[in-house]
Amino acid sequence: WATYGNGGDPFDPHAAIEQALTALVKEAKRVTACDHVFLSHYDEQNKIFRTLAFDSTITPSSVSLEQKFRGDQYAAQQTVLINDLSYYNFRLRPEVARLGLHSLLGLPLINASGLSGVLECFSHDLQHFSDQDAENISVLAKHAALLIEKSLHTKACDRQRIENQFLYELQELEHASEGMLLYRFGETLQ
């Protein structure tokens, strides 16, 4: 996997993807002029959202699909646009409700196998987001879904490479052992 760029330093695909996701989050914040942006990966097997990148004073935590605010809409691959979250305070976690967040724009990240994550923008202002904002950051959401998919493929390839290297080393040890046995057998015949 290591390719070399300027200066001969190995290229780390995981770091590059992480940097791209961070840049994507910053761009979503700039485009929507909002206060907080969170980009989460949805782990289908464990039914949990894990934050990959964020631009906020709020430190996010992992949350299950059942506990995710509007998780059912994200699972149905629907955009969430709410311009007065006070109507939903009973559904929000108390600490989130206390932060004074008034508007939410959330876009599901979709790949070939379905929901891969969510890009969420929050504002302290009422009526902050519009349908045009959703349209504007939909390109970022599509790009984020591709980056997450690439990250998963990169990790799978890394695991395969490690497994192949291990099997190769085992094979080399096996051949070395056979060679050693033949050498010792030859010595005993003399």
Side-chain angles (χ1 to χ4, degrees):
W1 273 102
T3 56
Y4 296 89
N6 300 340
D9 293 330
F11 174 72
D12 180 359
H14 301 289
I17 292 169
E18 187 176 308
Q19 290 171 353
L21 291 172
T22 299
L24 191 140
V25 162
K26 289 187 182 307
E27 182 64 11
K29 189 172 184 180
R30 187 192 68 75
V31 167
T32 61
C34 68
D35 300 300
H36 311 276
V37 178
F38 304 94
L39 176 65
S40 302
H41 169 250
Y42 178 61
D43 179 350
E44 174 69 32
Q45 183 177 2
N46 297 312
K47 305 279 190 237
I48 195 162
F49 288 91
R50 289 188 176 88
T51 304
L52 297 176
F54 66 98
D55 189 343
S56 175
T57 55
I58 302 166
T59 303
S61 60
S62 296
V63 63
S64 69
L65 178 63
E66 295 79 27
Q67 294 175 328
K68 179 80 170 163
F69 179 66
R70 294 306 210 199
D72 54 341
Q73 280 184 273
Y74 293 133
Q77 302 181 7
Q78 297 173 349
T79 297
V80 175
L81 177 58
I82 300 173
N83 277 311
D84 190 354
L85 285 171
S86 65
Y87 292 120
Y88 301 93
N89 279 347
F90 69 96
R91 287 267 303 140
L92 296 171
R93 295 198 314 237
E95 59 273 9
V96 174
R98 281 193 299 269
L99 293 171
L101 303 176
H102 287 89
S103 298
L104 162 66
L105 173 57
L107 283 86
L109 308 178
I110 311 301
N111 64 21
S113 60
L115 182 66
S116 68
V118 63
L119 176 63
E120 294 176 300
C121 302
F122 289 90
S123 176
H124 293 286
D125 300 326
L126 289 167
Q127 305 295 321
H128 184 82
F129 300 109
S130 66
D131 290 333
Q132 186 61 50
D133 288 321
E135 185 71 29
N136 291 343
I137 68 166
S138 68
V139 172
L140 296 174
K142 289 175 186 173
H143 191 65
L146 290 172
L147 286 169
I148 290 171
E149 189 171 15
K150 180 176 181 160
S151 175
L152 295 173
H153 287 299
T154 300
K155 287 176 184 174
C157 287
D158 285 348
R159 282 191 299 272
Q160 178 110 28
R161 180 185 50 79
I162 291 167
E163 183 180 310
N164 286 342
Q165 183 178 354
F166 176 72
L167 291 173
Y168 176 76
E169 288 173 7
L170 280 178
Q171 185 179 21
E172 288 297 310
L173 285 174
E174 185 178 305
H175 289 300
S177 298
E178 288 175 5
M180 189 59 103
L181 287 173
L182 289 174
Y183 176 75
R184 288 191 179 159
F185 181 73
E187 281 189 343
T188 47
L189 289 178
Q190 290 181 355

